[in-house]
Amino acid sequence: MGALNEGHFNVELENRVNHLGGCIELGFEQEPETLAIEDAVKVLLQGLGEDVNREGLRKTPLRVAKALREGTRGYRQKVKDIVQGALFPEAGLESGIGHAGGVGGLVVVRDLDLFSYCESCLLPFQVKCHVGYVPSGQRVVGLSKLSRVADVFAKRLQEPQRLADEVCSALQLGIKPTGVAVVLQCLHIHFPNFESAFLDLNHQGWVKVLVTSGSGVFENEKADIWGDFLSLLKFRGIDVEKTHPRDAADKCWCPSQAISKVGPSNSGMTLAVASILQSLGEDPSRNELLGTPTRFVKWLMNFKNSNLEMKLNGFVFGQMDALISNGNVSHCDEHIHSELNLSFWSQCEHHLLPFHGVVHIGCICTEAINPIRKSFLQSIVHFHGFKLQVQERLTRQIAETASLLLGGDVMVVVEANHTCMISRGIEKFGSNTATVAVLGRFSTEPAARAKFFQSIPNSTTTGG
């Protein structure tokens, strides 16, 4: 009995040491809220049929907790702490007719890159923020403070119009200018569900919205000062004609809100998401958040662990038999056949955040063998994409499956945008990751690889 207890103690001690090591490695101080999020993430992983102790997932709960706490740090910040001490006297024009600097001149800061978590589905969305204000009382504010104030409200669960209004109101109260204007360009990822991905090959991967908010002299949207502000934005290519009037703001901008029937959900997973909301500092009973746990679980279940390869086996080997039945084709002319820009959608197993992009597949084939239909190669990509993944493994799995169909000489390039690159403190907007897998002769013939690379367009669409 003593030996059994000692063994159990050693296992528990090892688990706690490993957990502590993970905390030190990730540089994240453990807090009660963090531990609660970790426990909830374990429930979600188990609901997906995953082994939380397998390599690749053991530290996922801690990584997710860190990303969520970092991405919602605005709940723990106050605007007055940022603005205080950042107001400076600036007299502007001393005589004559006109405005400048501290006496009525317009000040604009453009192209502030922000991200926020959508309150309807908990997926991150990107924001390009433009702020203008008209100083009063000869007071101007340090320009970096405009970005920091906007970031405080972006780092909360949000929707576009409320985010614009909160930034505008906070700057009006903090700086006390003659007026403030805010324009937000928001980009929300639109994941297809597992079934529709196979049916809609032209799925649009993003929802875009542009919203405005104004106070003081900007409160009237037809005021001349708005014309000056928007003229400055036009220099940056912003289509101001697509702004949403305040009384017609799109209340269903999040793709998940367009789903009329959510259907049954795993109650344990739903409660786990509600626990995460509470740990982030939110009230799960707030009207806008009532359906969020169910919508998040429904989205997450697209990546439920299942043996999808079994569904492919019959077709794969049937295709191989058909290719072999064409007879001896070794004497035929060879060429490189390419299928480019196959879309994929996946879920990073390290942070439970989506990544997406395009896949390029090349094969060395002969004139006697007809290349496999693009639609079936697209299905292979989706089969491997709709699960918890890492890009390197996804690339290899697509290559190995495609090689069964295409004769073994296969090359695969995956180009991906990872939302974890913007939503966990790194904030590298626009970054893109490429991975390559080569099988058969592509691995030994540099000329073949070079020829395939040349077939890939210089600019590909990865969903942004």
Side-chain angles (χ1 to χ4, degrees), residues 12 15 25 30 57 81 144 148 227 243 250 268 308 390 428:
E12 181 65 21
N15 288 337
E25 177 185 337
Q30 286 294 80
L57 286 184
D81 295 336
S144 66
R148 291 187 61 191
T243 58
D250 187 358
L308 297 175
V390 295
K428 297 297 182 182

Side-chain angles (χ1 to χ4, degrees), residues 3 8 85 96 100 117 122 188 244 252 280-281 324 339 346 368 435 464:
H8 176 76
Y117 280 98
L122 291 187
H188 193 307
H244 285 239
C252 292
L280 295 177
I324 294 172
E339 289 291 355
S346 195
T435 48

Side-chain angles (χ1 to χ4, degrees), residues 165-292:
D165 290 342
E166 289 181 342
V167 172
C168 182
S169 177
L171 290 174
Q172 183 68 40
L173 291 174
I175 305 173
K176 294 180 173 58
T178 303
V180 176
V182 177
V183 172
L184 302 182
Q185 296 170 282
C186 301
L187 199 63
H188 193 307
I189 194 168
H190 183 191
F191 253 58
N193 60 38
F194 180 73
E195 293 80 10
S196 67
F198 290 86
L199 300 175
D200 182 8
L201 299 181
N202 297 313
H203 174 79
Q204 297 298 313
W206 294 93
V207 173
K208 301 178 182 180
V209 67
L210 197 154
V211 297
T212 67
S213 185
S215 62
V217 294
F218 288 100
E219 192 166 355
N220 181 358
E221 294 182 351
K222 297 181 180 180
D224 292 340
I225 191 69
W226 264 110
D228 296 341
F229 179 55
L230 296 178
S231 292
L232 289 172
L233 296 189
K234 286 181 181 179
F235 296 158
R236 309 301 292 181
I238 300 172
D239 186 359
V240 294
E241 299 301 322
K242 294 184 178 180
T243 58
H244 285 239
R246 288 183 57 87
D247 59 352
D250 187 358
K251 296 182 179 180
C252 292
W253 92 291
C254 173
S256 70
Q257 291 180 323
I259 301 174
S260 58
K261 285 189 176 182
V262 175
S265 62
N266 184 302
S267 59
M269 296 176 71
T270 302
L271 289 174
V273 178
S275 171
I276 290 175
L277 294 176
Q278 191 167 23
S279 298
L280 295 177
E282 267 289 1
D283 178 6
S285 64
R286 178 161 67 88
N287 285 338
E288 295 83 356
L289 295 178
L290 288 177
T292 299

Side-chain angles (χ1 to χ4, degrees), residues 6 25 29 38 42 74 86 101 113 122 129 155 195 203 235 323 371 377 419:
E6 181 180 357
E25 177 185 337
E29 182 181 353
E38 287 186 62
K42 290 176 183 178
D113 283 319
L122 291 187
C129 175
K155 294 299 188 294
E195 293 80 10
H203 174 79
F235 296 158
L323 295 177
L377 292 178
T419 53

